[in-house]
Amino acid sequence: MRIAIVGTGYVADYYLKTLPNHPRLQLVGVMDRDGPRAERFARFHHVPRVYRTYEELLADERVECVVNLTNPGSHYALTKAALEAGKHVYSEKPLAMEMPLAEELVALAESRRLQLASAPCNLLSETAQTLWKALREERIGKVRLVYAELDDGPIHLMKPERWRSDSGNPWPLKDEYEVGCTLAHAGYYITWMVAFFGPAVRVTSFSTVLTPDKGQEVERQTPDFSVACIEFASGTVARLTHSIYAPYDHGLRIIGDRGILSTQECWTYGSPVYLRRRDALGLKAEKNPLKAKLLGLGPEKLPLVPGPGQPRAARKANVMDVSRGIAEMAEAVDQRRPCRLSPRFALHVNEVTLAIQHPVEPGTPRKMTTTCGPIAPMPWAL
């Protein structure tokens, strides 16, 4: 599939790092409203073409898919224009900042028989697929509860104004604070849960601003902490927490009648997966982890399913194979099958995320209006 990227800011470097892992993806060119930034990016990554305008990009008949890496407030307009031009679209998260706009994009894609997918794609990771395989094999029995954390630590104290991408782009401080950690990160675990346990049916959430002054002037204050209870169609209930104040923690625990599956990181595609028994001996070991370790009663480390692998650059901390989602879309188009990251899947994840960040009233359950069909595991994880 021939692709073009719109938006050559901080996140774009991660895509260029992982594109070599997918040789069937051919980057035709890039475009950014900041022309000099696009030129600098193209020189650094040896991109063959820089489009002067978005209209010029969309007019290029070679481009089959637009990869939308712009700031979230621009996602809707640019994705809509690409779909109207007959291009498939892979967008960074969120799909849109408001549900009516996201619904419009999905209806447009479906009416034109185009693929529309939204990041994140870490559901396609070895870690997620290993957890899913263990769940399908009923290794821990019926799952009734999930605890998940997406806490990134107090970012405003980490001097983020100094952060630069490989091509020299600064981390988009203002955008990140105004969009909020929930919209930026919720999808990393919501996509897993929807795939594992079916669509969400109700969301009960609370969100607030813990640190109004982060050393960066913003036009609006957006929650930097949220916590939600999500009820899934299967009956499983999940508690999902986001913050940029609490200590860094990306842990996940999937709790079943006979055991617990866990991992410590959703951003690392090869994060280890552990299984802990929930029999009398296992429960005793939970209370005395040091003694349990000495007696060999600690959790079992499960072998990761043998996925397609990652390039060396993607093995660094906090670097994911972000291009894997585009590759999945390209393969779906080539094989004329539904994409695992389907438009309805993206729309449902978008609704759950917005419900967490913007509760109608804290503590009041909100019934979800969207749904999506079952998602197929990766062939190499069966």
Side-chain angles (χ1 to χ4, degrees), residues 203-208 227-228 355-366:
V203 173
T204 306
S205 66
F206 169 84
S207 65
T208 191
V227 61
I356 296 172
Q357 175 145 305
H358 303 296
V360 176
E361 184 177 340
T364 301
R366 180 187 295 184

Side-chain angles (χ1 to χ4, degrees), residues 9-11 13-14 17 40 159-173:
Y10 190 87
V11 74
D13 285 272
Y14 292 110
K17 276 184 177 181
R40 183 177 67 247
K159 302 189 183 303
E161 65 277 3
R162 299 181 181 179
W163 297 352
R164 294 291 185 274
S165 68
D166 287 350
S167 64
N169 288 313
W171 189 67
L173 231 71

Side-chain angles (χ1 to χ4, degrees), residues 180-203:
C181 57
T182 302
L183 286 188
H185 295 155
Y188 288 110
Y189 274 140
I190 293 174
T191 52
W192 291 20
M193 295 177 194
V194 171
F196 298 168
F197 311 118
V201 292
R202 292 201 306 173
V203 173

Side-chain angles (χ1 to χ4, degrees), residues 69 100 306 333 361:
L69 306 183
V333 171
E361 184 177 340

Side-chain angles (χ1 to χ4, degrees), residues 89-359:
V89 178
Y90 186 87
S91 174
E92 257 300 327
K93 55 194 173 339
L95 186 61
M97 297 289 282
E98 300 174 19
M99 274 305 291
L101 302 182
E103 289 166 345
E104 182 184 342
L105 293 177
V106 170
L108 179 59
E110 291 179 340
S111 69
R112 303 207 172 197
R113 298 183 179 180
L114 293 167
Q115 295 283 2
L116 171 62
S118 177
C121 64
N122 62 323
L123 172 61
L124 311 179
S125 70
E126 289 80 356
T127 296
Q129 295 289 320
T130 299
L131 286 164
W132 199 359
K133 186 173 189 291
L135 290 170
R136 294 195 307 272
E137 294 172 349
E138 300 184 344
R139 297 286 300 274
I140 61 171
K142 181 175 177 57
V143 175
R144 302 181 191 272
L145 184 64
V146 178
Y147 278 0
E149 315 290 340
L150 283 166
D151 299 312
D152 275 347
I155 286 178
H156 61 290
L157 301 179
M158 302 179 193
K159 302 189 183 303
E161 65 277 3
R162 299 181 181 179
W163 297 352
R164 294 291 185 274
S165 68
D166 287 350
S167 64
N169 288 313
W171 189 67
L173 231 71
K174 188 171 182 291
D175 277 346
E176 290 284 341
Y177 291 155
E178 291 181 347
V179 170
C181 57
T182 302
L183 286 188
H185 295 155
Y188 288 110
Y189 274 140
I190 293 174
T191 52
W192 291 20
M193 295 177 194
V194 171
F196 298 168
F197 311 118
V201 292
R202 292 201 306 173
V203 173
T204 306
S205 66
F206 169 84
S207 65
T208 191
V209 179
L210 295 176
T211 52
D213 183 8
K214 299 180 179 68
Q216 167 68 44
E217 187 176 340
V218 294
E219 295 175 18
R220 61 181 180 276
Q221 289 287 351
T222 302
D224 53 18
F225 169 83
S226 70
V227 61
C229 287
I230 309 169
E231 300 170 68
F232 293 91
S234 62
T236 299
V237 173
R239 191 268 292 136
L240 177 60
T241 304
H242 312 86
S243 86
I244 50 172
Y245 183 78
Y248 189 98
D249 184 356
H250 283 185
L252 171 75
R253 287 178 288 169
I254 301 175
I255 305 159
D257 288 346
R258 299 199 309 270
I260 300 173
L261 288 166
S262 65
T263 191
Q264 291 302 309
E265 182 57 78
C266 57
W267 285 2
T268 302
Y269 278 29
S271 178
V273 173
Y274 297 95
L275 188 154
R276 184 187 295 275
R277 296 184 302 174
R278 291 203 93 195
D279 54 18
L281 202 57
L283 292 172
K284 189 175 291 186
E286 282 185 19
K287 294 183 178 181
N288 300 281
L290 183 58
K291 185 176 180 181
K293 186 176 181 181
L294 292 173
L295 295 175
L297 298 175
E300 173 190 357
K301 185 177 180 180
L302 300 183
L304 293 178
V305 293
Q310 302 178 74
R312 288 182 182 177
R315 294 181 187 141
K316 295 179 181 178
N318 294 344
V319 179
M320 300 166 279
D321 187 354
V322 290
S323 297
R324 196 175 289 188
I326 312 171
E328 159 61 20
M329 173 187 283
E331 188 177 270
V333 171
D334 185 53
Q335 298 177 357
R336 299 184 179 181
R337 61 164 174 81
C339 180
R340 288 175 173 83
L341 309 178
S342 71
R344 291 285 161 181
F345 178 64
L347 183 64
H348 185 62
V349 171
N350 205 85
E351 182 183 24
V352 175
T353 303
L354 287 172
I356 296 172
Q357 175 145 305
H358 303 296

